[in-house]
């Protein structure tokens, strides 16, 4: 294993130079987007790059996107808690200290291994019962501008993170539920220091100030955000967390908090979370809501929310370092399928065994990676949606990862970029769906935990865009603070049907869960079944690439988790090939362009965390890595 520290320093230097020379495109979050419009936006803006040392723990480890959250998780493990107990404490602290990314107003996927089996706990947000496929169409039947839909009451899905965590706690918790809320309640009461990243995102956000509750909490009287280090107290969140600690998910899904959520969604000044009469008329769905009466979020929706357990998607993958069994989250996430396809296709190209060129992959490898990704994203657009509404091709999702299917798809990868790429026919599927048009996907957070009893988990949690729908819920406006609501429904296709009327698999339907890219991943030794790693990232659809890169780095290139995370980010969603700005030599860009790729360089602020089994001085240890592009650490013992 290579030492990651010098890599991280070089990385920080490269990105710093890029900033000084103003040679690189900004991110939309920063309001400095200089690249042409075809460049897919990154979900959250970039903030500081901070080299991370990589961590080594002997018994247990908690990797999370904010030090206060990771430490709360480690504290729970030391108190005898399980990995799930620690994850609950981490999530509650993240709601407070990383409010832009995840929280009790959002949803999450948790993959858990108890030493025997892998379980997939689905806490994805759902569309309210009255939502129709016209949810994001205007009166003329055209898709709403993306930003208008995000910043509205209409984008809010019924939150599922808390209910899902309660379900996992019932099976795998060791400490009492209420105990797990203590770190967050205490921090919310006492206050926490506003971090650099939170401050930067608050400064750059154009719309959060429009919400009076958020404005009063996050900003000073002159409209500027609280400075870095300012001690921010959130007594309203402490109040809500006390209720959830005492009464469980019903304290969120019923009663005063539920009423406050519904009121917030329905009373949005610009675009409330209800279907207008005109929309009722224009929509083509058979799931027609009563005209003008459709209120996409009601108390009944909140009350009815059910977390689900699904079968984890596991497949074999031969990496240079080891024969692996990679387990990920099934649909409604597209993550595991796309990551598995990319790695599987790449292993069938001439770049399968290619080494790194210095600190970065070669142009040749990037070409093969990009072509594999384009094929994977074509299948994703065609097939993946909520499995309770949409059948898997060939009746099983694993048809998309079947070796014979991957062999056939890999034959489409040549020396030049393919002029166009379409979906395949996994499991012999003849699809009646129309492919989903490309659409932005935006704040999310990743948590990886291993405990001393042999439990491990990988959980990705989100309120979708940075600060979600920019709606802050309070049950008592005289108490400062509250929590933010997600805009997860914008992960559905705004366009429900093709021009010929063919439905898109991921269109809005009542009670449906929007397709996700979240890719919480657990990796095992195929032969012994031993857990080797837990990883995942935020990043919208680029999550798939960030996760694939880290897995390839750890298991193909033999890097430590930290060094794998530090590798330059790359990826395509089907359009231009994105390269992380300041990380590739001009010769690489030229070589890719000569092969027909449209290359764009921009900051790509992933938020990867990873924990991997390793050895040190003959002892088995947990190696931890956290993304230098965000504020995470790996705490443990
Ligand atoms: N909403 C996205 C998803 O579920 C994640 C957004 C992000 O990472 O910023 O796939």
């Amino acid at each position: 294993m290579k030492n990651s520290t010098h890599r991280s320093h070089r990385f920080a230097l490269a990105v710093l130079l890029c900033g000084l020379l103003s040679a690189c495109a900004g991110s939309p979050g920063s309001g400095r987007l200089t690249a042409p419009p075809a460049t897919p936006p990154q979900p959250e803006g970039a903030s500081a790059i901070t080299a991370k040392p990589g961590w080594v723990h002997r018994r247990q480890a908690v990797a999370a996107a904010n030090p206060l959250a990771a430490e709360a998780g480690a504290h729970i493990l030391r108190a005898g808690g399980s990995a799930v107990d620690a994850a609950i404490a981490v999530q509650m602290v993240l709601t407070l200290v990383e409010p832009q990314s995840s929280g009790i107003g959002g949803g999450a996927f948790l993959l858990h291994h108890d030493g025997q089996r892998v379980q997939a706990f689905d806490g994805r947000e759902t569309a309210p019962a009255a939502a129709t496929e016209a949810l994001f169409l205007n009166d003329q039947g055209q898709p709403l501008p993306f930003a208008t839909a995000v910043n509205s009451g209409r984008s809010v899905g019924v939150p599922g993170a808390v209910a899902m965590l309660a379900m996992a706690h019932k099976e795998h918790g060791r400490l009492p539920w209420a105990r797990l809320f203590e770190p967050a309640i205490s921090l919310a009461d006492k206050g926490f220091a506003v971090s650099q990243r939170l401050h930067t995102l608050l400064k750059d956000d154009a719309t959060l100030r429009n919400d009076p509750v958020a404005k009063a909490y996050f900003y000073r009287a002159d409209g500027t955000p609280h400075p870095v280090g300012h001690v921010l107290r959130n007594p309203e969140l402490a109040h809500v967390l006390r209720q959830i600690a005492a009464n469980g998910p019903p304290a969120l899904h019923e009663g005063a908090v539920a009423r406050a959520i519904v009121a917030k969604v329905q009373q949005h000044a610009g675009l409330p979370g209800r279907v207008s009469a005109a929309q009722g008329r224009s929509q083509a769905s058979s799931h027609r809501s009563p005209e003008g009466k459709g209120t996409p979020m009601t108390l009944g929706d909140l009350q009815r929310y059910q977390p689900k357990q699904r079968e984890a998607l596991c497949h074999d993958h031969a990496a240079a370092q080891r024969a692996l069994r990679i387990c990920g989250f099934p649909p409604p996430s597209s993550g595991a399928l796309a990551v598995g396809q990319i790695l599987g296709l790449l292993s069938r190209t001439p770049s399968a065994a290619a080494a790194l060129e210095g600190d970065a992959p070669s142009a040749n490898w990037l070409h093969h990676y990009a072509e594999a990704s384009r094929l994977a994203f074509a299948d994703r657009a065609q097939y993946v949606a909520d499995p309770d509404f949409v059948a898997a091709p060939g009746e099983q999702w694993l048809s998309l990862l079947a070796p014979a299917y991957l062999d056939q798809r890999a034959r489409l990868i040549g020396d030049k970029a393919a002029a166009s790429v379409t979906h395949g026919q996994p499991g012999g599927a003849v699809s009646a769906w129309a492919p989903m048009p490309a659409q932005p996907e935006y704040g999310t957070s990743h948590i990886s935990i291993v405990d001393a009893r042999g439990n491990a988990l990988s959980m990705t949690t989100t309120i979708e865009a940075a600060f979600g729908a920019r709606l802050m819920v309070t049950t008592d406006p005289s108490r400062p603070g509250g929590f933010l609501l997600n805009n997860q429904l914008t992960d559905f296709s705004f366009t429900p049907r093709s021009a010929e009327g063919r439905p898109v698999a991921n269109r809005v339907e009542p009670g449906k869960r929007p397709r996700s890219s979240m890719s919480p991943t657990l990796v095992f030794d195929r032969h012994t079944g031993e857990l080797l790693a837990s990883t995942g990232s935020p990043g919208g659809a680029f999550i798939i690439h960030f996760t694939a890169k880290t897995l390839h780095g750890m298991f193909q290139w033999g890097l430590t988790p930290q060094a794998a995370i530090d590798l330059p980010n790359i990826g395509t969603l089907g359009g231009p090939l994105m390269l992380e700005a300041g990380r590739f030599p001009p010769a690489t860009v030229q070589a890719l362009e000569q092969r027909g790729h449209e290359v764009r360089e921009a900051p790509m602020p992933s938020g990867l965390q990873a924990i991997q089994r390793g050895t040190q001085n003959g002892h088995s240890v947990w190696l931890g890595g956290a993304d230098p592009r965000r504020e995470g650490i790996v705490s443990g013992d």
Side-chain angles (χ1 to χ4, degrees):
M1 298 256 172
K2 297 177 188 167
N3 184 321
S4 66
T5 313
H6 69 285
R7 283 176 180 280
S8 300
H9 289 307
R10 257 187 277 165
F11 171 20
L13 192 66
V15 175
L16 190 71
L17 278 174
C18 164
L20 290 174
L21 298 172
S22 310
C24 318
S27 71
S30 66
R32 295 185 302 271
L33 185 67
T34 54
T39 304
Q42 297 295 319
E44 278 188 27
S47 50
I49 302 286
T50 316
K52 302 282 164 79
W55 288 262
V56 181
H57 295 297
R58 292 283 286 271
R59 302 177 57 234
Q60 49 197 17
V62 179
N66 179 286
L68 293 166
E71 278 154 16
H75 172 77
I76 291 292
L77 291 184
R78 284 177 203 126
S82 64
V84 163
D85 290 336
I88 295 167
V90 171
Q91 176 67 83
M92 299 310 144
V93 174
L94 287 175
T95 307
L96 176 73
V97 302
E98 199 197 24
Q100 69 271 25
S101 298
S102 75
I104 60 174
F109 293 137
L110 189 159
L111 208 57
H112 185 268
H113 183 240
D114 60 4
Q116 305 286 324
R117 63 193 171 131
V118 181
Q119 288 170 285
F121 293 96
D122 176 347
R124 185 71 165 165
E125 296 89 335
T126 59
T132 72
E133 65 179 43
L135 189 68
F136 296 118
L137 297 180
N138 64 18
D139 289 353
Q140 288 72 49
Q142 296 303 312
L144 292 170
F146 197 76
T148 307
V150 168
N151 296 292
S152 80
R154 213 172 273 183
S155 64
V156 184
V158 182
V162 171
M164 179 279 283
L165 288 170
M167 181 187 235
H169 181 259
K170 233 180 218 147
E171 262 191 73
H172 301 291
R174 288 179 65 90
L175 295 180
W177 171 256
R179 167 85 177 77
L180 312 172
F181 288 71
E182 287 170 6
I185 292 171
S186 153
L187 269 172
D189 278 335
K190 288 203 297 249
F192 68 99
V194 169
S195 74
Q196 162 81 47
R197 183 165 177 80
L198 176 56
H199 172 79
T200 305
L201 296 188
L202 285 170
K203 181 161 59 66
D204 292 343
D205 196 273
T207 48
L208 186 60
R209 294 168 179 86
N210 296 343
D211 181 86
V213 183
K215 185 177 178 206
Y217 172 65
F218 288 118
Y219 296 91
R220 299 190 286 198
D222 65 359
T224 57
H226 292 300
V228 177
H230 170 83
V231 177
L232 191 56
R233 296 177 58 244
N234 192 337
E236 169 63 12
L237 181 62
H239 171 77
V240 171
L241 293 180
R242 278 193 187 93
Q243 319 285 312
I244 302 174
N247 302 316
L252 184 79
H253 289 262
E254 296 168 26
V257 181
R259 285 197 296 277
I261 293 175
V262 167
K264 193 87 196 181
V265 168
Q266 293 192 357
Q267 288 162 17
H268 188 276
L271 191 59
R274 46 177 200 262
V275 175
S276 68
Q279 265 205 313
R281 277 193 298 278
S282 72
Q283 51 118 338
S285 169
S286 54
H287 301 290
R288 211 177 164 92
S289 70
E291 261 188 31
K293 290 192 197 138
T295 48
M297 182 138 356
T298 63
L299 285 172
D301 289 314
L302 279 160
Q303 226 166 45
R304 277 191 299 272
Y305 184 86
Q306 290 294 336
K308 298 193 176 186
Q309 267 202 58
R310 303 193 184 275
E311 205 176 315
L313 266 182
C314 299
H315 69 281
D316 294 340
H317 178 72
Q321 305 284 313
R322 226 144 165 175
L324 306 177
R325 187 146 181 86
I326 301 180
C327 294
F329 216 91
S333 186
S334 60
L337 288 167
V339 171
Q341 281 198 335
I342 292 171
L343 295 178
L345 291 168
L346 187 61
S347 72
R348 289 163 167 81
T349 70
S351 286
L356 280 171
E357 253 175 26
D359 274 358
S362 66
N364 201 35
W365 186 92
L366 288 165
H367 164 71
H368 289 120
Y369 180 94
E371 292 300 278
S373 304
R374 292 174 70 200
L375 291 166
F377 272 79
D379 275 354
R380 172 181 179 269
Q382 184 68 19
Y383 294 109
V384 185
D386 184 339
D388 295 336
F389 287 74
V390 163
E395 278 163 36
Q396 47 171 323
W397 295 106
L398 281 171
S399 66
L400 286 148
L401 295 172
Y405 178 63
L406 294 179
D407 289 345
Q408 178 201 327
R409 293 285 279 170
R411 287 197 282 276
L412 300 171
I413 301 178
D415 289 341
K416 295 266 181 208
S420 67
V421 166
T422 54
H423 63 87
Q425 296 189 317
V430 180
S431 170
W433 305 121
M436 176 171 159
Q439 198 172 286
E441 272 176 51
Y442 291 105
T444 298
S445 203
H446 181 77
I447 304 163
S448 281
I449 302 180
V450 290
D451 71 21
R453 287 183 200 84
N455 300 299
L457 64 80
S458 180
M459 168 173 156
T460 312
T461 175
T462 181
I463 55 170
E464 221 302 287
F467 304 107
R470 277 73 164 189
L471 292 175
M472 195 166 209
V473 175
T474 176
T475 57
D476 178 354
S478 70
R479 255 194 307 259
F483 64 91
L484 288 164
L485 289 174
N486 69 83
N487 63 296
Q488 213 63 245
L489 302 188
T490 61
D491 272 1
F492 282 119
S493 179
F494 281 31
T495 306
R497 288 165 194 272
S498 66
E500 305 77 50
R502 269 195 307 149
V504 173
N506 184 37
R507 69 192 183 285
V508 183
E509 293 183 78
K512 190 173 177 182
R513 299 178 185 212
R515 184 191 71 190
S516 169
S517 302
M518 295 193 291
S519 309
T521 308
L522 294 172
V523 184
F524 300 88
D525 182 297
R526 187 200 298 172
H527 301 301
T528 64
E530 184 182 49
L531 176 89
L532 300 178
S534 165
T535 189
S537 179
F542 283 97
I543 290 174
I544 289 164
H545 296 298
F546 301 154
T547 308
K549 169 200 86 169
T550 305
L551 291 170
H552 196 84
M554 289 192 292
F555 294 106
Q556 187 69 26
W557 288 328
L559 302 176
T560 60
Q562 188 62 56
I565 289 170
D566 293 349
L567 285 171
N569 280 329
I570 50 169
T572 172
L573 310 182
L577 172 56
M578 302 297 298
L579 301 182
E580 189 172 7
R583 305 292 307 274
F584 290 92
T588 299
V589 177
Q590 275 160 21
L592 287 163
E593 285 172 347
Q594 273 158 14
R595 287 178 159 210
H597 294 280
E598 191 190 329
V599 180
R600 297 261 192 284
E601 292 181 87
M604 298 175 75
S606 50
L608 285 149
Q609 335 283 349
I611 297 174
Q612 187 186 12
R613 191 182 288 279
T615 47
Q616 197 180 58
N617 307 327
H619 294 288
S620 172
V621 291
W622 294 112
L623 304 171
D627 207 314
R629 302 159 188 90
R630 298 202 188 192
E631 296 174 327
I633 64 163
V634 187
S635 189
D637 305 287

